[in-house]
């Protein structure tokens, strides 16, 4: 079954074509980083307009790369929640029109569930995390732990009470004037740092399955206040912040997995591209007897393949949408 997936929930326009859920025939992502860079963050109205311009050529490129004609597509899937309202609306309207014109089923996909699905995307079945497993979702908008009973049944265990992990990376990078997007900039700065870390707090590390990152961000701001910071100090702060954030995420995830007796753990979402987080979760997880599952680097960030891939499982359960499908921010 050939499914076309469309993702426009934030600032990346993603279009992909998958076969039977797991095989990615083509995936194209148009990043808007350069458009938003002068503003230091995503401007929703500008992002929506860019999605409108990006979608038609991306669909053509994706079909061309996969050597599939539009009429051969069996279903159209689109992210309909959560995200920026205007951005979601562009994708949803586009997908509805396409499904209607092609007389093919439409599938509305939850962006967070799609991220969770990336742990199995474009991998043979024996490399998928078995059910139930624990998923740590870390992105620009969300930080949450889920027990994944099947690709379409997720139980929410806990999440951030304030900033998301990626949001904290982005805000700290802004304070350090490292540019946008902040996550990759902090990682780059922190690479190869061999000095002593500043001991930043690890909020809520010992309790429950919820997270808090705003206290860590404030601690960084307070540390910098009234200080002269040269290049070396920026590197030390970036590395120490990353070290603390990674430590909280890994410690809490492993504790949750232990308490819930889940031996398989996946790491998904934009922040799962972070090398320190990947390494630390893999190292400490495997030491603790857990199996760790990471998405391919191309699928950490927002993309259409995760939407098309998950839609296959929705379709198998008969969960299609009609033309009243709406975007829910
Ligand atoms: O999943 P995603 O593409 O979009 C949302 O659904 O939010 O995640 C984007 C987030 C941004 O906050 C970005 O700074 C962060 O992922 N990110 C990273 C890295 N690459 C992207 N954070 C830390 N280290 C990275 N290498
Ligand atoms: Zn995302």
């Amino acid at each position: 079954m050939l499914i076309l997936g469309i993702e426009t929930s934030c600032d990346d326009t993603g279009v992909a074509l998958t076969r039977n859920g797991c095989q990615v025939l083509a995936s194209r992502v148009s990043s808007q980083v350069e458009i938003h860079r002068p503003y230091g963050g995503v401007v929703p109205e500008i992002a929506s307009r860019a999605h409108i311009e990006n979608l038609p050529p991306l669909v053509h490129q994706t079909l061309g790369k996969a050597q599939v004609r539009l009429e051969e597509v069996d279903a159209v899937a689109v992210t309909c929640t959560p995200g920026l309202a205007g951005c979601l609306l562009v994708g949803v309207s586009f997908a509805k029109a396409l499904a209607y014109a092609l007389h093919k089923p439409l599938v509305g996909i939850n962006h967070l569930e799609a991220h969770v699905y990336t742990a199995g995307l474009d991998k043979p079945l024996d490399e998928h995390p078995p059910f139930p497993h624990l998923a740590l979702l870390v992105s620009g908008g969300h930080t949450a732990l889920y027990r994944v009973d099947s690709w379409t049944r997720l139980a929410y265990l806990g999440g951030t009470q304030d900033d998301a992990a990626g949001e904290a990376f982005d805000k700290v990078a802004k304070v350090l004037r490292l540019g946008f997007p902040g996550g990759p900039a902090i990682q780059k700065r922190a690479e190869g740092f061999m000095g002593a870390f500043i001991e930043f707090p690890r909020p809520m590390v010992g309790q429950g399955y919820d997270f808090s990152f705003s206290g860590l961000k404030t601690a960084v701001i307070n540390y910098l206040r009234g200080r002269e910071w040269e290049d070396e100090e920026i590197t030390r702060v970036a590395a120490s912040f990353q070290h603390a954030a990674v430590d909280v995420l890994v410690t809490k995830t492993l504790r949750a997995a232990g308490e819930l007796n889940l031996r398989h753990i996946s790491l998904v979402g934009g922040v799962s591209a972070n090398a320190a987080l990947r390494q630390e979760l893999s190292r400490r997880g495997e030491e603790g007897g857990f199996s760790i599952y990471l998405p391919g680097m191309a699928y950490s960030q927002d993309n259409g393949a995760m939407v098309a891939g998950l839609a296959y499982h929705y379709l198998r359960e008969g969960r299609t949408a009609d033309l009243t499908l709406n975007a829910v921010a």
Side-chain angles (χ1 to χ4, degrees):
M1 177 179 274
L2 295 174
I3 303 177
L4 188 73
I6 292 167
E7 158 63 43
T8 62
S9 67
C10 191
D11 61 331
D12 289 319
T13 319
V15 176
L17 194 76
T18 59
R19 175 176 283 132
N20 298 339
C22 50
Q23 191 191 355
V24 180
L25 300 183
S27 178
R28 287 276 180 274
V29 177
S30 177
S31 163
Q32 300 180 14
V33 163
E34 293 312 321
I35 302 174
H36 299 286
R37 199 188 295 284
Y39 307 96
V42 177
V43 184
E45 182 56 26
I46 296 177
S48 310
R49 285 162 192 260
H51 287 310
I52 296 174
E53 287 169 12
N54 290 341
L55 276 173
L58 280 184
V59 169
H60 283 293
Q61 287 169 22
T62 303
L63 292 170
K65 169 88 194 326
Q67 298 197 310
V68 167
R69 285 179 294 115
L70 197 51
E71 304 75 53
E72 292 175 286
V73 169
D74 295 304
V76 180
V78 63
T79 301
C80 59
T81 193
L84 299 170
C87 293
L88 289 167
L89 262 177
V90 173
V92 167
S93 308
F94 188 90
K96 279 203 243 184
L98 201 53
Y100 180 72
L102 294 172
H103 304 287
K104 293 292 161 68
L106 174 70
V107 187
I109 290 289
N110 178 302
H111 182 76
L112 308 178
E113 287 181 19
H115 270 304
V116 169
Y117 184 67
T118 58
L121 186 62
D122 218 9
K123 291 179 184 174
L125 265 179
D126 60 352
E127 290 178 25
H128 285 205
F131 303 119
H133 66 261
L134 182 70
L136 170 64
L137 165 68
V138 271
S139 72
H142 297 84
T143 299
L145 283 168
Y146 296 95
R147 190 190 67 232
V148 185
D149 294 319
S150 79
W151 291 127
T152 58
R153 272 183 300 132
L154 271 53
Y156 177 82
L157 302 169
T160 185
Q161 301 298 299
D162 39 60
D163 290 352
E167 191 180 355
F169 269 89
D170 293 338
K171 287 179 177 169
V172 167
K174 201 166 187 174
V175 174
L176 292 173
R177 299 189 201 110
L178 291 178
F180 168 83
I186 294 224
Q187 172 175 323
K188 194 150 179 263
R189 264 291 169 151
E191 257 159 24
F193 175 75
M194 300 296 274
F197 291 119
I198 305 154
E199 271 308 308
F200 287 130
R202 275 108 165 114
M204 299 176 82
V205 74
Q207 66 199 78
Y209 302 149
D210 286 332
F211 296 87
S212 164
F213 285 100
S214 84
L216 174 57
K217 174 196 68 189
T218 307
V220 172
I221 294 169
N222 288 342
Y223 178 86
L224 292 169
R225 189 166 293 143
R227 246 174 234 268
E228 291 287 317
W229 19 297
E230 311 137 18
D231 211 44
E232 244 171 67
E233 190 67 358
I234 295 177
T235 304
R236 185 163 175 242
V237 171
S240 304
F241 161 76
Q242 178 176 274
H243 182 66
V246 165
D247 186 34
V248 172
L249 289 167
V250 172
T251 303
K252 297 202 74 152
T253 302
L254 295 182
R255 188 162 50 72
E259 286 172 4
L260 300 168
N261 202 19
L262 296 167
R263 307 314 297 170
H264 303 275
I265 303 171
S266 69
L267 169 66
V268 297
V271 184
S272 75
N274 185 274
L277 179 57
R278 284 180 165 240
Q279 280 159 17
E280 201 62 7
L281 183 64
S282 300
R283 186 182 65 77
R284 284 168 57 185
E286 277 153 23
E287 271 172 20
F290 300 98
S291 305
I292 308 298
Y293 301 81
L294 306 170
M297 284 301 271
Y299 307 123
S300 286
Q301 243 71 70
D302 291 348
N303 63 85
M306 63 186 190
V307 177
L310 178 61
Y312 174 75
H313 299 273
Y314 269 58
L315 280 165
R316 283 198 350 170
E317 295 176 5
R319 292 167 65 184
T320 55
D322 60 25
L323 294 178
T324 61
L325 180 70
N326 208 349
V328 178

